[in-house]
Amino acid sequence: MFEVGAWRVPSVKRRLRASVAGKAAVVRQRGPREESSARPRHLAIIMDGNGRWASSRGLSRTRGHEAGVLALPRVVDTALEEGVEHLSLFFFSTENWNRPRAEVAALMRLTAQLADVFRAYGERGVRLRWLGSEARLPRSTLAALRRAEAETAGNRAMTLAFCFNHGGREEIARAATSLARASADGALDPGLIDEALFTRHLPHGDLPDIDMLVRTSGEQRISNFMLWRAAYAELFFVDTLWPDFTAEELRGLLAAFAGRKRRFGAR
């Protein structure tokens, strides 16, 4: 067991595993439902408010992150049950390195634990994909993420995109660099670059655009999250702090999404 402040990661891991295993009989290796404009194909969530949740209870920020992690199965299970094809969760941004070193170190260790827990969702048809930069990541964290990706690569019930050390601008810069190199090498005519080609050069370029983006905690911004893919996302900002976010609230937001008119510039 390791501890950072009052953070008891092994106990969190056990509780998460128990939660995942407890739902295994409910949803197991099932495919997505029929296409419907009333349901988002790609749901993305900015999980915000762990620190404020902890502060309001006189707890450390790391205890808030612990509570936030325990909220994850509620959302993943609900997305599976509702037939969402792609669920993206924003866990750690490229800007979060500016946080205190102890908090960052704890998040790195917790992520390695989380990656192992997410592998348990593989038995229920969930594919884990990691979206983020390798820069500055500890080897153990990187190895855990890569292992979870490899072991769930063949699953099709739902894709869980875990956005860790992710930055929307960094993604776009990487795609631009890839295209520039291909052009310089003579493998690509720059005049052929369009939106579709640019998208394919993004990390995990086959991941579709975001249909519905939720941010918890009352903040009303997207904080450099999937900037390219969020171009036509329906935005939902809720006051609930992430550790308190429930399956019922997510279902209510999905119902609200179904009532929106998506015109994409048309009348």
Side-chain angles (χ1 to χ4, degrees), residues 123-176:
E123 299 177 6
R124 296 165 60 190
V126 175
R127 179 185 185 184
L128 180 73
R129 305 185 81 176
W130 165 51
L131 271 71
S133 170
E134 293 186 9
R136 304 173 69 177
L137 290 185
R139 290 181 182 178
S140 59
T141 302
L142 184 59
L145 290 167
R146 291 299 191 203
R147 184 167 58 249
E149 279 192 308
E151 292 184 6
T152 62
N155 293 342
R156 294 293 180 267
M158 185 178 76
T159 295
L160 172 58
F162 188 60
C163 302
F164 184 78
N165 202 24
H166 164 84
R169 289 178 174 176
E170 189 271 342
E171 268 197 338
I172 291 170
R174 268 201 279 171

Side-chain angles (χ1 to χ4, degrees), residues 32-33 35 39-42 79 83-87 157-160:
R33 298 177 184 174
E35 281 295 320
R39 186 201 65 234
R41 183 185 181 201
H42 185 177
V84 172
E85 292 184 46
H86 303 274
L87 173 65
M158 185 178 76
T159 295
L160 172 58

Side-chain angles (χ1 to χ4, degrees), residues 12-210:
V12 174
K13 183 176 179 179
R14 285 194 295 270
R15 291 168 67 185
L16 278 172
R17 283 190 178 280
S19 178
V20 174
K23 289 288 186 107
V26 178
V27 182
R28 186 184 297 273
Q29 198 64 27
R30 51 187 275 189
R33 298 177 184 174
E34 295 181 3
E35 281 295 320
S36 170
S37 60
R39 186 201 65 234
R41 183 185 181 201
H42 185 177
L43 166 65
I45 304 178
I46 300 175
M47 307 178 295
D48 193 22
N50 293 341
R52 276 167 282 174
W53 181 92
S55 296
S56 68
R57 290 161 174 77
L59 303 173
S60 67
R61 289 181 61 85
T62 51
R63 289 296 297 275
H65 292 307
E66 177 181 311
V69 164
L70 293 172
L72 286 171
R74 297 197 294 265
V75 171
V76 178
D77 291 338
T78 302
L80 266 171
E81 291 161 8
E82 293 296 322
V84 172
E85 292 184 46
H86 303 274
L87 173 65
S88 293
L89 301 174
F90 198 14
F91 191 76
F92 185 89
S93 76
T94 50
E95 292 76 29
N96 287 154
W97 291 101
N98 296 319
R99 293 186 176 186
R101 291 179 62 184
E103 182 179 357
V104 170
L107 284 166
M108 294 298 137
R109 296 185 181 108
L110 179 61
T111 296
Q113 300 275 341
L114 263 178
D116 286 338
V117 171
F118 282 147
R119 287 161 59 201
Y121 272 105
E123 299 177 6
R124 296 165 60 190
V126 175
R127 179 185 185 184
L128 180 73
R129 305 185 81 176
W130 165 51
L131 271 71
S133 170
E134 293 186 9
R136 304 173 69 177
L137 290 185
R139 290 181 182 178
S140 59
T141 302
L142 184 59
L145 290 167
R146 291 299 191 203
R147 184 167 58 249
E149 279 192 308
E151 292 184 6
T152 62
N155 293 342
R156 294 293 180 267
M158 185 178 76
T159 295
L160 172 58
F162 188 60
C163 302
F164 184 78
N165 202 24
H166 164 84
R169 289 178 174 176
E170 189 271 342
E171 268 197 338
I172 291 170
R174 268 201 279 171
T177 299
S178 175
L179 289 165
R181 285 175 177 162
S183 298
D185 292 342
L188 173 66
D189 178 357
L192 298 178
I193 299 174
D194 58 12
E195 291 183 17
L197 181 59
F198 191 93
T199 298
R200 290 198 295 273
H201 279 258
L202 289 169
H204 298 302
D206 58 332
L207 188 68
D209 284 349
I210 297 171

